[in-house]
Amino acid sequence: MLISAAVCPHPPVLVPEAAGEAAPELDAMRAACDEAVRRLGASRPDAVVVVGGGPETRAYGGEATATLRPYGLDLVWGSGPDLPLSLTIGHWLLTRDGTLFGQGTSEAPPEGVRYQSVAFDATPDECLRLGRELAGCAPRVALLVMGDGTACLSEKAPGSLDERAAGYEDAVAEALGRADTAALAGLDPEVSRQLQVAGRAAWQVLAGAAAGANRFEAGLLAREEPYGVGYLVASWRRPERGQEVG
């Protein structure tokens, strides 16, 4: 059963060493991600699943490699198959400064953590089904959901300016801030592709994992649009028995 979720972006520049002199520009975003992950750990999960987009849908074992070498950093954890960028940044968030389980960054992932990529072009039905499967993998499941918003929010954005982008980002921010699973499940894959949204599939996995549950307490912890790309941080928590959200 899904008991909590943290939603974070996954740009390489979230890692200060990758951002260089521009690192302070994302300090507030890093702090929001740290808070979302801290809340994830505080929910006392039996299993933590890091979910993010990738070339294919597949699970990774604990021996998988999180590496930032493709982005010019000699930072590597693990010795197995390479994780996609989304899961690599998820690993970094979980292990930095002992955020989740009281351990600093190390070669091994925290105990009880699994990594699951979802194909960027997976259909909504496939994403929702995967979410339901992940929610059933343990009695108390927490998801760290990695995904960037649209890359079309300004003329200098990677995808240039698209007039639809601001409205799309507003809708996703509202859905994540309210734990609106129906809105996330309804995101259009083709529009998302056109707007260069990296997080659509992962957000729909979250919608599937949370579907059918009582309402979650949710909040949007950060929203920024540096470089014309939308970065969103949110936290969801299922109220304990007797504390249901009205």
Side-chain angles (χ1 to χ4, degrees):
M1 177 177 70
L2 182 70
I3 59 165
S4 64
V7 179
C8 297
H10 55 68
V13 292
L14 200 61
V15 180
E17 295 90 335
E21 294 182 356
E25 297 177 7
L26 290 179
D27 279 349
M29 180 63 60
R30 292 185 195 96
C33 290
D34 287 344
E35 174 61 17
V37 172
R38 184 196 67 77
R39 295 183 186 184
L40 203 71
S43 67
R44 298 175 287 109
D46 299 312
V48 177
V49 185
V50 186
V51 180
E56 61 179 335
T57 297
R58 61 165 292 184
Y60 292 83
E63 76 284 356
T65 297
T67 177
L68 288 172
R69 281 179 175 165
Y71 304 93
L73 288 179
D74 192 23
L75 295 177
V76 181
W77 304 275
S79 59
D82 287 356
L83 296 171
L85 174 63
S86 61
L87 302 185
T88 289
I89 299 300
H91 172 93
W92 178 79
L93 284 174
L94 286 180
T95 56
R96 91 185 204 105
D97 300 325
T99 304
L100 187 59
F101 292 117
Q103 68 177 68
T105 301
S106 66
E107 292 294 327
E111 184 178 354
V113 175
R114 350 176 356 190
Y115 297 90
Q116 175 71 55
S117 66
V118 56
F120 288 118
D121 61 355
T123 68
D125 284 347
E126 290 169 340
C127 296
L128 296 172
R129 182 166 59 251
L130 176 59
R132 291 192 295 269
E133 293 172 359
L134 295 178
C137 74
R140 296 175 63 86
V141 177
L143 296 186
L144 174 54
V145 181
M146 308 299 297
D148 294 350
T150 174
C152 298
L153 288 166
S154 73
E155 293 288 355
K156 295 183 178 180
S160 299
L161 179 65
D162 189 305
E163 294 181 354
R164 300 170 295 173
Y168 183 104
E169 197 73 5
D170 287 344
V172 173
E174 182 175 2
L176 292 176
R178 298 178 57 186
D180 187 340
T181 58
L184 294 176
L187 294 173
D188 185 276
E190 179 57 23
V191 172
S192 301
R193 185 193 65 78
Q194 293 170 4
L195 295 178
Q196 298 191 20
V197 177
R200 187 274 306 174
W203 297 332
Q204 289 185 323
V205 171
L206 170 60
N214 293 332
R215 289 179 58 192
F216 283 74
E217 293 178 349
L220 192 68
L221 304 186
R223 177 182 179 180
E224 296 186 18
E225 300 172 1
Y227 326 117
V229 181
Y231 298 152
L232 300 163
V233 181
S235 177
W236 294 16
R237 183 182 75 88
R238 181 195 293 268
E240 298 294 340
R241 188 178 300 275
Q243 298 179 341
E244 286 79 5
V245 180

